[in-house]
Amino acid sequence: MTLVRSGCTLFLALGAALAAPKPTFYKDVQPILERNCVSCHRPGEAAPMAFLNYKQVRPYAAAIKMSVSQRRMPPWNADPHIGQFSNDRSLPEVELKTLIDWASTGATEGNPKDAAPVNREFAEGWSIGKPDMIIEMPEAFTVPAKGTIEYHYVVLPTGFTKDTWISAAETRPMNRAVNHHIIAFVREPGSRWLRDAVPGKVFIPTKGSGEGSASGFLTGYAPGTVPSQMKPGQGILVKAGSDIVFQLHWTANGTEAQDKAKLGLILAKETPKERVLTLQAINTRFEIPAGADNHPVDAKMTLHADTTLEALIPHMHVRGKAFAMKVKLPNGDIQDLLHVPTYDFNWQLSYLLKESKKLPAGSQILATGWFDNSTNNKFNPDATKVVRWGDQSWEEMMIGFFAISVPVETPVIDILRPKKKAPVSPSAGGLD
Ligand code: HEC
């Protein structure tokens, strides 16, 4: 008995000497939450609960421990061994351990005097800072309580009388409970896309309501997305007389609700040197067999001019399981760009390259998505159906969006199409 007791004391003494002091909220935890979590976990942002003070955080201590140890929070799905991304949200190992230790040792408050000054510089309601210009739907849309809601579009004139360069763009819903996503496109003057839409009114395209497509992607909103923010010297061009087109996807959640989308723009102070464009490696012709649990679909796009790769944005729906992007250089070399081993439809993440990558003309972006159409996939609404391309979330998409920059002088058409060969002498002609 005595032996055991003394053994115990010894163990306790050793334990106390070896163990780091118990982490406290103010000293250890709050700074981690401020850096990694409150961008979403504060009022008006994506997460349903705020983590701004001890009272708010304490009830979630166990949930925090669970979600960070499973690497569900913060949302970030890229394989850390492939590519490096400037917006990498994954928690460093030490911070992960501190959060877990804190939750496991009683989630104590500690002394408020230990708190580092909290440096929150969130512009109210916007994460790009105060916009120079806000373009907003003039009236709210009533989202019905039930049923499937087609994609709606709203055309809103910019009123730009001259070509305008954008250095940041952010789009936001009013009601995140029913807003599944918003994409803000640019429609250049003369485009026939959605030509029957009345500006400011929601519109559902039908056959014949306008051929063509968007002239450009500006920015998007979905859980986990980051707004489009250009590096110094870069911008997105919106030509004079262009319209903004919102593509809106609402999902009924059992209660009728109102929603409205808005777009905030920060205008470039001077003409940028480089233009940023979002392109896509897309495949609309696929069939995912019923029950298939790992069905690959490929997509690719060739870049016919010299470009610089800036960002990668995988897009699939609920059967999306994994995603990879690579580049095939003109010399035939294939390089890995991104691997998302566990794709999660709920998080539409963009991966911004830490170091942008020069791609010589003729490079090809390759994307592969793997789909799980089996009953193993808990998000699968119906494992007995063959699934094809479509807008709705029970249909599928296979798009590897990517952003590139090019010198402003590069005509977009030169990127998309092979350059016409120089005219050959008439005697050799006839083949082109
Ligand atoms: C990009 C936005 C974002 C960031 C950054 C983020 N969260 Fe979340 N978090 C959410 C959203 C949205 C939900 C609710 C939806 C869900 O549960 O998936 C959520 C839910 C949670 C939940 C409750 C549900 C669960 O999954 O256990 C916890 C706990 C949580 N987050 C902890 C954290 C912590 C800790 C951090 C930082 C280390 C963090 N989150 C960073 C958006 C974010």
Side-chain angles (χ1 to χ4, degrees), residues 163-339:
D163 291 357
T164 304
W165 289 94
I166 306 298
S167 58
E170 178 177 5
T171 172
R172 297 176 76 98
M174 183 176 82
N175 188 340
R176 290 168 192 270
V178 289
N179 192 305
H180 181 273
H181 82 237
I182 308 167
I183 299 178
F185 295 103
V186 177
R187 182 176 75 170
E188 292 185 353
S191 163
R192 293 163 65 81
W193 187 43
L194 306 175
R195 64 166 182 266
D196 295 341
V198 178
K201 299 272 183 211
V202 289
F203 181 76
I204 301 175
T206 49
K207 245 187 151 72
S209 60
E211 303 79 41
S213 60
S215 322
F217 168 94
L218 197 52
T219 189
Y221 159 82
T225 46
V226 284
S228 305
Q229 279 174 292
M230 301 300 112
K231 295 179 191 158
Q234 296 188 338
I236 300 176
L237 177 63
V238 180
K239 289 195 180 148
S242 293
D243 299 312
I244 298 299
V245 176
F246 285 150
Q247 179 194 75
L248 294 141
H249 184 193
W250 287 294
T251 40
N253 77 343
T255 320
E256 188 180 280
Q258 303 270 305
D259 185 43
K260 206 173 166 179
K262 61 182 177 181
L263 168 73
L265 297 176
I266 295 186
L267 310 182
K269 305 286 170 284
E270 52 199 45
T271 305
K273 292 193 173 59
E274 289 168 352
R275 175 175 186 180
V276 173
L277 294 162
T278 302
L279 304 174
Q280 50 191 12
I282 182 170
N283 182 344
T284 59
R285 293 158 176 266
F286 56 79
E287 277 191 359
I288 306 166
D293 67 357
N294 199 26
H295 182 77
V297 177
D298 294 325
K300 60 188 176 196
M301 181 184 176
T302 303
L303 299 161
H304 295 281
D306 291 347
T307 62
T308 302
L309 187 64
E310 303 284 355
L312 304 163
I313 311 140
H315 183 68
M316 304 183 282
H317 288 173
V318 295
R319 289 170 174 91
K321 179 179 179 185
F323 204 92
M325 291 181 81
K326 298 174 194 267
V327 60
K328 185 174 177 191
L329 297 169
N331 67 7
D333 279 359
I334 295 182
Q335 296 177 358
D336 287 320
L337 296 171
L338 169 72
H339 183 212

Side-chain angles (χ1 to χ4, degrees), residues 36-37 40-41 46-49 51 63-64 67 72-75 89 347:
N36 301 285
C37 319
C40 296
H41 286 272
M49 64 296 238
F51 287 163
I64 289 175
S67 65
R72 279 188 293 113
M73 285 287 151
R89 286 200 187 99
W347 297 109

Side-chain angles (χ1 to χ4, degrees), residues 76 78-90 231 309-312 325 336-339 350-357:
W76 182 259
D79 175 343
H81 304 101
I82 296 175
Q84 287 199 309
F85 304 98
S86 62
N87 62 332
D88 188 342
R89 286 200 187 99
S90 50
K231 295 179 191 158
L309 187 64
E310 303 284 355
L312 304 163
M325 291 181 81
D336 287 320
L337 296 171
L338 169 72
H339 183 212
S350 22
Y351 299 91
L352 314 181
L353 270 58
K354 198 167 202 170
E355 275 175 45
S356 46
K357 186 176 175 65

